[in-house]
Amino acid sequence: MAALAGPAGLRAFRTKVPGWLPRGPWAPLAAGFCSRGPAGAERPEPGPRPTSVRQRDGIRSIVLSHPKRRNALSLAMLKSLQSDILHEAESKDLKVIIISAEGPVFSSGHDLKELTDEQGPAYHAEVFQTCSEVMMQIQSHPVPVIAMVNGLATAAGCQLVASCDIAVASDKSSFATPGVNIGLFCSTPGVALGRAVPRKVALEMLFTGEPITAQEALLHGLLSRVVPEEQLEEETMRIATKIASLSRPVVSLGKAAFYKQLPQDLRTAYYLTCQTMVDNVALRDGQEGIKAFIQKRKPMWSH
């Protein structure tokens, strides 16, 4: 499945769901609006939503909220997460997203009860395709997405961390792709992992299933920062608040350009980003920032 490209790609996946209404600061969003799968694949999703979400001052906080199931990325969890990520993705009021989790496990990966032969290949395909879509939508989202990890992240949970633009973890966290130990190689998690850490590190994790510590994850590039548990939220919010204070159009343009140039050869990468710089200069906020610097004043961003 090809990666999504910018706002047009987001619109293609975006789900319009009744129940998203304007709310006050940090008010929880409505329940019961999980997006559904392809025609013929719709299933009832009883009980409370497996994620919760709040937004204030441009920062959307999405919490994986099913600690009794170790925040497994069940199909319901994936669709709920997808809905929370894509809701009003192009709104100027959204500047950054934080994904965190309740309980001692950030996410244990896919729900293995959904992967038995009782469900069948079509259901299994929907699970893995939906998961892949979520990971790609994080990368193609117009605002930065931060993982805030406090605990264990395994398999697709590790994939989720690797897919985020920034990842901050407590020093008690650990990361693994242990599928090989139960006969289910972590092939899709390997896509994100192999793009976040050196090949030999990724392959050792994939071939052995053994966990790495937060410090090792930081050393190899899976994480941006590691802090003591009691400082995790403060540090994550510091980064998110800084991003939220900046120009959304500029950050969005820069994020899209960064990912677009990564797989290119050096000459093509510079060609693409030179054009991006020209486009950036032409933005209203690009000119505002330059003039503010010259005039020695704070810039007034459009949004």
Side-chain angles (χ1 to χ4, degrees):
M1 185 178 296
L4 308 181
L10 276 169
R11 284 192 290 270
F13 278 101
R14 193 172 169 187
T15 305
K16 302 289 187 182
V17 187
W20 282 103
L21 301 172
R23 290 167 175 82
W26 291 115
L29 301 177
F33 53 80
C34 288
S35 59
R36 298 186 178 187
E42 298 179 2
R43 294 169 181 80
E45 294 173 354
R49 295 183 72 238
T51 62
S52 60
V53 57
R54 296 172 183 268
Q55 184 169 325
R56 185 177 69 182
D57 298 332
I59 302 172
R60 179 175 299 168
S61 178
I62 302 172
V63 183
L64 309 183
S65 304
H66 204 343
K68 290 183 178 180
R69 295 291 300 158
R70 296 165 64 87
N71 294 313
L73 296 182
S74 63
L75 189 57
M77 175 74 85
L78 287 166
K79 289 185 175 183
S80 186
L81 177 60
Q82 183 178 52
S83 180
D84 293 343
I85 290 171
L86 296 186
H87 169 61
E88 294 186 351
E90 297 167 37
S91 168
K92 67 180 182 180
D93 295 324
L94 176 63
K95 297 290 196 74
V96 62
I97 293 172
I98 299 172
I99 300 176
S100 61
E102 291 182 22
V105 177
F106 177 78
S107 175
S108 59
H110 289 295
D111 187 341
L112 295 180
K113 291 184 177 180
E114 294 187 340
L115 301 181
T116 64
D117 56 11
E118 294 176 3
Q119 282 76 23
Y123 186 89
H124 299 159
E126 184 183 3
V127 169
F128 294 121
Q129 288 168 3
T130 302
C131 185
S132 297
E133 286 178 6
V134 171
M135 304 304 164
M136 291 189 291
Q137 286 159 353
I138 288 172
Q139 181 173 310
S140 64
H141 202 285
V143 307
V145 180
I146 304 172
M148 183 172 76
V149 185
N150 187 29
L152 181 65
T154 64
C158 183
Q159 178 184 4
L160 179 57
V161 176
S163 297
C164 289
D165 304 307
I166 297 171
V168 185
S170 69
D171 50 13
K172 63 177 279 188
S173 300
S174 58
F175 306 84
T177 49
V180 68
N181 293 322
I182 61 166
L184 184 62
F185 198 86
C186 286
S187 295
T188 44
V191 173
L193 184 66
R195 285 163 170 75
V197 306
R199 180 183 303 178
K200 288 179 173 58
V201 175
L203 287 174
E204 181 178 345
M205 291 178 67
L206 291 164
F207 289 154
T208 67
E210 294 179 353
I212 61 173
T213 66
Q215 289 295 341
E216 289 172 324
L218 176 65
L219 175 66
H220 297 311
L222 181 60
L223 298 177
S224 310
R225 291 179 182 271
V226 174
V227 296
E229 182 179 9
E230 62 272 16
Q231 297 176 18
L232 178 60
E233 184 172 359
E234 178 184 357
E235 180 63 14
T236 305
M237 286 301 297
R238 184 191 68 79
I239 296 170
T241 301
K242 171 62 178 178
I243 294 171
S245 73
L246 303 173
S247 164
R248 177 189 155 112
V250 171
V251 172
S252 180
L253 181 73
K255 175 177 173 177
F258 178 81
Y259 283 115
K260 187 175 182 180
Q261 63 82 27
L262 271 183
Q264 309 297 330
D265 63 84
L266 191 63
R267 183 174 297 276
T268 302
Y270 273 119
Y271 174 80
L272 292 172
T273 51
C274 281
Q275 185 56 55
T276 300
M277 295 295 290
V278 172
D279 295 341
N280 195 157
V281 169
L283 287 176
R284 174 182 170 183
D285 281 355
Q287 283 300 304
E288 166 61 16
I290 292 169
K291 291 175 183 177
F293 180 83
I294 293 171
Q295 296 167 7
K296 295 181 172 57
R297 61 174 175 83
K298 291 186 66 175
M300 300 290 292
W301 305 126
S302 60
H303 54 270

